[in-house]
Amino acid sequence: MKNLIVGGGLLGLCTAHALVSRGEEVMLLERQKDAGDETSFANGGMLTPSMADPWNSPGVGWHVLRSIGDDSAPMLVRPQAFPSLISWGIEFLRHSVRSRYERATRASYALATYSLDETRKLRESLGLEYAVGTRGTMKVFRDQKTMRAPLALARMLEQQGMSYRVLDRAQVLEVEPQLEPIADELVGGLHFTGDESGDAHLFCRALAEDVGTRGANLRFGVEVKRLIANNGKVSGVETKEGGFTAERVIVAAGSYSTPLLKAVGLHLPVRPAKGYSITIDGSELDCDLPTIPVVDQGLHAAVTPLGQRIRVAGTAEFTGFDTQIRLARIQNLLALLEGLYPEIAVRMNRERIDPWAGLRPMSADGLPFIGSAHLQGLYLNTGHGALGWSQAMGSGKLLADLICGESPEIDSAPYRADRIRPPKAPRESKTAKPMR
Ligand SMILES: Cc1cc2nc3c(=O)[nH]c(=O)nc-3n(C[C@H](O)[C@H](O)[C@H](O)COP(=O)(O)OP(=O)(O)OC[C@H]3O[C@@H](n4cnc5c(N)ncnc54)[C@H](O)[C@@H]3O)c2cc1C
């Protein structure tokens, strides 16, 4: 096999698509039964170059410290996660220095804009259906102070070509009339006209079907146990079903990329940042539904219309690989919905909402890892954190360009995968089962 991809979420599938489009032979191994069934399943649904800023903004350390043990905090660290967060946390804080934060924001924006363009092109060429919204996204504010930082960010990204509008209360209501019941509480908003929205899971399914029909070998229900590394070279993977050899192994396993790489001596600074969502069937509500994603910056949460469904998603919790759904965090999302759309909150049946939790693969410096990574034959496409949907298509294309020796359309340097520490002595692994 020429290219073996580990992971069938947004990043693995977009990589598969880009490689197949270049005529490359591709096998993709995914442990779940179908495409996009982990973190790419029920995310916020927004494609937002406008939110390119990494989470480690200047002053983030203080916010995180204050959150410890507070279930209502938008960003929360659970004590059991401390040991796994020490070295990662130091890097996370080191990158919250303003100059680094701004550099990462610009690079993240460049990738997200490129990616959104590629997503649009693909949608048009294949006629993909994934509950697309093209009216942009909107942040709304209840006081001028909360608006300051998002406005400064918008001005910064405007220099890179982002379009946005500053809205007064009346203009907020023109963009989203469904906010009328809380109009008195709002002072204004920001409308990011170039953003989009859509259901990432539907997109994954559609993309899997497309790459499958174009020759990629997608294997579901196959868990990769370890990467096979010998003499500084990765030559395949080992699974319960036996070994698979490949010229290139591309790790796109979300947060689980970190343990996979650790076994070959690479310490990937990516940790799981758990987030939650609830999905409500709007067709049962008998009222007008939201028409554009609306973001509450303070809660790190958003309400996104996805066709007839409403997705409320957000909050961040560092709690290792635990995906258990905690009621208190769901309550936070319900409170957000109630605060923005009281009429929907009154009408909906709380027994019938779909709660979900997923693990964002969060890098310490706020940027993903795309490219080759120290060991010959090893490539990464992971660490996209809160922007994996926004950056998926662009990341897949960028990696395929690097792999195939073509000139990337954007500067690939900020996302280099070899910025992680090289292994001290590349570990070797034995193959227990026959190779295919
Ligand atoms: C609450 C929430 C809201 C979000 N909202 C947005 C948003 O609005 N916009 C945005 O851009 N991003 C958003 N994100 C982030 C985005 O969802 C993620 O960045 C993205 O889904 C990551 O995709 P991935 O392919 O890297 O990981 P995943 O989707 O997790 O895919 C990795 C795949 O690898 C498989 N895998 C792992 N280990 C193995 C193994 N050993 N063998 C075989 N298979 C394996 C997993 O089963 C999984 O399917 C949100 C995330 C959360 C949690």
Side-chain angles (χ1 to χ4, degrees), residues 39-365:
T39 312
S40 305
F41 185 72
N43 68 16
M46 294 179 296
L47 294 112
T48 47
S50 71
M51 292 177 214
D53 51 321
W55 282 5
N56 40 352
S57 55
V60 71
W62 177 236
H63 284 291
V64 172
L65 278 178
R66 277 193 309 182
S67 79
I68 293 171
D70 175 5
D71 257 324
S72 65
M75 200 189 280
L76 167 67
V77 182
R78 302 248 178 228
Q80 72 266 24
F82 281 158
S84 65
L85 288 178
I86 294 169
S87 60
W88 181 91
I90 292 168
E91 278 298 289
F92 185 75
L93 292 179
R94 205 167 70 79
H95 283 90
S96 68
V97 172
R98 181 158 298 281
S99 56
R100 290 201 179 103
Y101 161 79
E102 288 187 358
R103 210 179 311 136
T105 302
R106 288 198 180 90
S108 185
Y109 175 81
L111 181 56
T113 320
Y114 172 56
S115 196
L116 184 47
D117 282 346
E118 292 302 318
T119 313
R120 280 191 197 109
K121 281 187 211 160
L122 184 77
R123 177 173 77 231
E124 281 155 23
S125 70
L126 296 182
L128 295 185
E129 299 283 347
Y130 52 95
V132 181
T134 55
R135 296 193 57 226
T137 61
M138 180 163 66
K139 286 183 179 165
V140 294
F141 305 99
R142 289 179 165 83
D143 58 69
Q144 296 292 349
K145 191 172 160 234
T146 324
M147 192 165 170
R148 255 178 244 149
L151 186 55
L153 172 68
R155 287 191 178 131
M156 180 180 144
L157 295 179
E158 188 179 20
Q159 293 164 13
Q160 276 179 263
M162 185 184 77
S163 50
Y164 71 101
R165 297 194 304 142
V166 182
L167 309 175
D168 61 21
R169 181 189 297 153
Q171 289 167 319
V172 166
L173 296 182
E174 274 167 30
V175 175
E176 181 49 281
Q178 294 0 307
L179 291 170
E180 177 67 51
I182 62 151
D184 290 348
E185 298 169 29
L186 302 176
V187 296
L190 293 172
H191 183 195
F192 302 100
T193 47
D195 288 349
E196 290 195 0
S197 55
D199 186 325
H201 186 232
L202 290 180
F203 182 85
C204 284
R205 291 279 170 99
L207 204 54
E209 201 182 315
D210 175 65
V211 294
T213 54
R214 289 200 290 143
N217 181 1
L218 306 184
R219 304 275 304 259
F220 293 102
V222 180
E223 176 156 15
V224 171
K225 294 291 173 200
R226 61 179 60 87
L227 310 182
I228 299 165
N230 286 302
N231 303 322
K233 179 174 174 6
V234 170
S235 55
V237 301
E238 197 180 303
T239 75
K240 263 193 188 157
E241 298 184 11
F244 293 89
T245 48
E247 224 170 86
R248 306 177 190 115
V249 173
I250 299 155
V251 177
S255 297
Y256 298 87
S257 305
T258 306
L260 276 176
L261 292 171
K262 194 174 172 195
V264 292
L266 286 172
H267 295 277
L268 183 69
V270 168
R271 296 291 180 274
K274 185 176 177 181
Y276 288 86
S277 75
I278 52 176
T279 306
I280 299 147
D281 182 356
S283 64
E284 295 183 342
L285 294 178
D286 191 28
C287 66
D288 289 328
L289 301 181
T291 56
I292 182 172
V294 171
V295 178
D296 183 309
Q297 182 90 354
L299 254 184
H300 274 284
V303 179
T304 304
L306 294 169
Q308 282 297 297
R309 291 166 301 146
I310 303 163
R311 171 85 39 85
V312 189
T315 78
E317 197 179 336
F318 290 92
T319 178
F321 287 90
D322 158 34
T323 51
Q324 181 197 342
I325 294 175
R326 288 173 189 260
L327 197 60
R329 305 301 274 173
I330 296 294
Q331 294 296 358
N332 290 346
L333 296 180
L334 286 168
L336 169 79
L337 182 70
E338 216 159 14
L340 283 174
Y341 300 104
E343 294 195 348
I344 291 176
V346 165
R347 283 180 162 81
M348 77 186 181
N349 179 349
R350 288 180 185 228
E351 309 283 299
R352 287 171 60 98
I353 60 174
D354 284 331
W356 171 84
L359 303 174
R360 303 174 184 89
M362 194 61 71
S363 70
D365 63 6

